[in-house]
Amino acid sequence: MDKKVIKRSIFSYVFLAIIIIGILWFMEALNTKVNRISYSEFLDELKKGTVSELTITQDSNKGIYSLTGKLEDYSENETFETSGTLSEETLKQINEVKGDSDLEINVSSDPQSSYFLFFLVNILPVLIMAGIIFAAYYFISRQMGSANKSMDFGRSRARLTSDKDKVKFDKVAGLTEEKEEVQELIDFLKEPKKFQKMGARIPKGVLLVGPPGTGKTLLAKAVAGEANVPFYFISGSDFVELFVGVGASRVRDMFKQAKQNAPCLIFIDEIDAVGRQRGTGLGGGHDEREQTLNQLLTEMDGFGANEGIIVIAATNRPDVLDPALLRPGRFDRQITVNLPDVKGREEILNVHAKGKTFAKNVKLENIAKRTVGFSGADLENLLNEAALLTVRRHKKCITMAEIDEAHDRVLMGPAKVTKKYTEKEKKLVAYHEAGHAVVGIKLEGANEVHKITIIPRGQAGGYNLMLPKEETFLSTKKELLETISGLLGGRVAEELVFKEVTTGAHNDFEKATKIARAMVTEYGMSDLGPIQFEHQESSVFLGRDYNKSRNFSSQVAFEIDQEQRKIINECYEKTKKIIKENRDLLDLIATTLLEYETITKEQIEYLVKNGCMPDEDGEIDLSDYKEASLSDLTVEELKDLAQEKGIKKVDSMNKEELIKALEEDE
């Protein structure tokens, strides 16, 4: 049994015993009978010898004595009380009676002559009784409060944001279009009459859709902060309970509270927990969840009006939501919050860089270019990891070394520096990663190599950071094929150099096969024609893309497998040809990796151009580029050369514009 439970049980029994003792003491005091007799009657009884007990209390101020005691014919709880002056004759008589009988005499001073005795006799019993009554009241009220709390199922779990937690748009970076979409909500909350005069109806609900970490919750907070209205936030799972009807009751109570504070915003995070399609799943839907959803639908657009209440919800699974939620009048505006582009990532980095100290050579623009696919939460984590590493290394500012390490940690996990390779394994990994790099360098459509390392991280023995040269919405067939070739570069290098293959290409094959399969079955990029053979089939009950529907015969399935194998084999042969033609470059990169273990994009470019690594300070001598033709240089090399010559606005120029500017400068 838990120690806290045992202590609580002991305390309860002790408390109950104190109450019983107090009640018995009080009842005994009530049952005591006190007879008030005159002083002359006391003297008569004393002469008769019927006084069995006597207590004499002296009052020093008045010279009067208080006499209490018992007579022989008294019961156990019966006493007498009198007062008077004790003369010498009376005292003599008392002494005589005491000598002739067993009279017990006690002499004490007046309690009022001693503050301690006065407190002990007159005040302490009252305080004890008051304490017992207060403790009993506290114990009973606490038990009643716990009972009320345990029965308080139907109250809303929505919490109201305090003023100190309010967020404005200046804290929301990288969501320019999204902020414009919600600007109408802010204007309506500030000046509703302007919209009502025009006869416009503001959306009652806004659904924010996007991957995790893209800033959906932050955007909702910023809307309430800009409009300066109350902001209630709750998770979809807070509505669901074991008891039927509780979720619907919480929805009613939430809107009741919101009406009392209108205009206001209600934010429901992860609404798919309660808003999934009704009547789905194995054996029917969940009754409690469906009742909660029905109540939410009614509150948003039912018989009653919720003027001044705007509901904002967030989810990354809009496909599983009930259609009734998405119709006009409820969530009639859907805003997609995508992963940020390079400009958005730079803005997000600027927000999270506040309060951090960076070295002079750290440029957030370059970090934004290297973090393709990072969400806002990932970027915040990246800078936080870099700051933690800086403190751990006892540095005064964050350098690119910490940012590089933090970037690798976010992607692959911490480096396993204690894990030792055999010399053969280390050479195999070096040539494997060098094979990826050679294909990435020589194929224009393949991903660009930004970093190569043979230090183990996570489940990988090494990794090659390859990113698209430009962020685009579409991919051409050529780009997809060259991406597959880049993925196969590691296996081809192993086969050509060591005449054997390893399991290191497992993840590469998985990615390449997935791309080839999609080209054949979804993108129509094969000899089978522009036909979509497969499409994702989401299961509402399971909540995941559980399987794919296949509307084709077994003969077509055989042809799909042939086309998929054909794409992989052609890319493999193309990759083999590239690496054979560039065997010297492969050996150069692999040898450099064996020596340095990690090389960056700038070092790779210098290595390809000059056949050796740059100086230890990391500075690349741009004079080496002057002997080469401008058209042979990469865009980054041209930008470096133009900046050295003092040409402005080089970041916005393409390759042709850079070459023209350099030629004009000469």
Side-chain angles (χ1 to χ4, degrees), residues 50-67:
T50 57
V51 179
S52 60
E53 292 182 12
L54 181 62
T55 300
I56 303 172
T57 304
Q58 183 182 3
D59 186 350
S60 59
N61 295 328
K62 299 179 181 180
I64 298 176
Y65 294 86
S66 176
L67 305 171

Side-chain angles (χ1 to χ4, degrees), residues 386-407:
L388 293 175
L389 286 169
T390 303
V391 175
R392 191 183 304 171
R393 295 174 179 178
H394 306 289
K395 292 186 177 181
K396 295 182 179 180
C397 58
I398 302 173
T399 65
M400 282 304 299
E402 282 71 46
I403 292 176
D404 283 338
E405 176 65 21
H407 182 271

Side-chain angles (χ1 to χ4, degrees), residues 271-311:
I271 194 174
D272 52 283
V274 71
R276 296 196 175 200
Q277 294 181 24
R278 292 166 289 183
T280 57
L282 303 177
H286 190 292
D287 292 338
E288 165 61 7
R289 195 190 70 232
E290 290 189 0
Q291 287 189 23
T292 306
L293 175 59
N294 292 336
Q295 187 63 44
L296 181 62
L297 297 174
T298 303
E299 291 289 345
M300 290 190 68
D301 187 23
F303 295 104
N306 290 317
E307 296 296 337
I309 300 176
I310 295 178
V311 182

Side-chain angles (χ1 to χ4, degrees), residues 478-625:
K478 179 183 177 183
E479 290 173 345
L480 292 175
L481 291 173
E482 293 186 350
T483 299
I484 294 174
S485 297
L487 291 169
L488 298 175
R491 167 55 68 87
V492 171
E494 292 176 8
E495 184 179 354
L496 290 178
V497 176
F498 300 98
K499 308 302 181 184
E500 63 178 352
V501 294
T502 68
T503 59
H506 171 269
N507 187 249
D508 299 330
F509 292 158
E510 182 181 353
K511 294 177 181 178
T513 305
K514 187 176 180 180
I515 295 173
R517 183 82 180 182
M519 289 177 66
V520 177
T521 61
E522 297 180 35
Y523 306 148
M525 295 180 178
S526 69
D527 294 339
L528 297 181
I531 303 174
Q532 188 180 50
F533 295 101
E534 296 178 347
H535 65 274
Q536 300 292 340
E537 185 178 75
S538 60
S539 173
V540 177
F541 177 73
L542 297 174
R544 292 285 181 183
D545 291 333
Y546 187 66
N547 55 10
K548 293 182 179 181
S549 64
R550 294 174 172 83
N551 299 319
F552 47 80
S553 64
S554 57
Q555 176 62 30
V556 175
F558 175 72
E559 294 176 3
I560 290 173
D561 292 339
Q562 283 187 318
E563 288 294 321
Q564 181 179 333
R565 190 177 297 109
K566 177 182 176 183
I567 291 174
I568 296 293
N569 289 337
E570 289 178 354
C571 291
Y572 194 86
E573 293 301 322
K574 183 177 181 179
T575 303
K576 186 181 292 186
K577 180 181 179 182
I578 292 172
I579 292 182
K580 282 182 178 179
E581 293 175 352
N582 297 274
R583 176 61 188 269
D584 294 340
L585 179 60
L586 177 72
D587 293 334
L588 176 62
I589 295 175
T591 304
T592 306
L593 277 173
L594 289 171
E595 180 179 357
Y596 291 91
E597 291 189 334
T598 300
I599 53 178
T600 62
K601 174 189 173 184
E602 293 76 13
Q603 292 172 328
I604 294 170
E605 292 175 351
Y606 189 88
L607 186 66
V608 173
K609 183 64 64 176
N610 300 279
C612 63
M613 289 287 282
D615 298 334
E616 291 184 359
D617 58 2
E619 296 292 333
I620 297 175
D621 188 4
L622 295 176
S623 62
D624 296 330
Y625 297 151

Side-chain angles (χ1 to χ4, degrees), residues 47 80 225 414 666:
K47 290 178 181 179
F80 69 83
E666 293 177 355

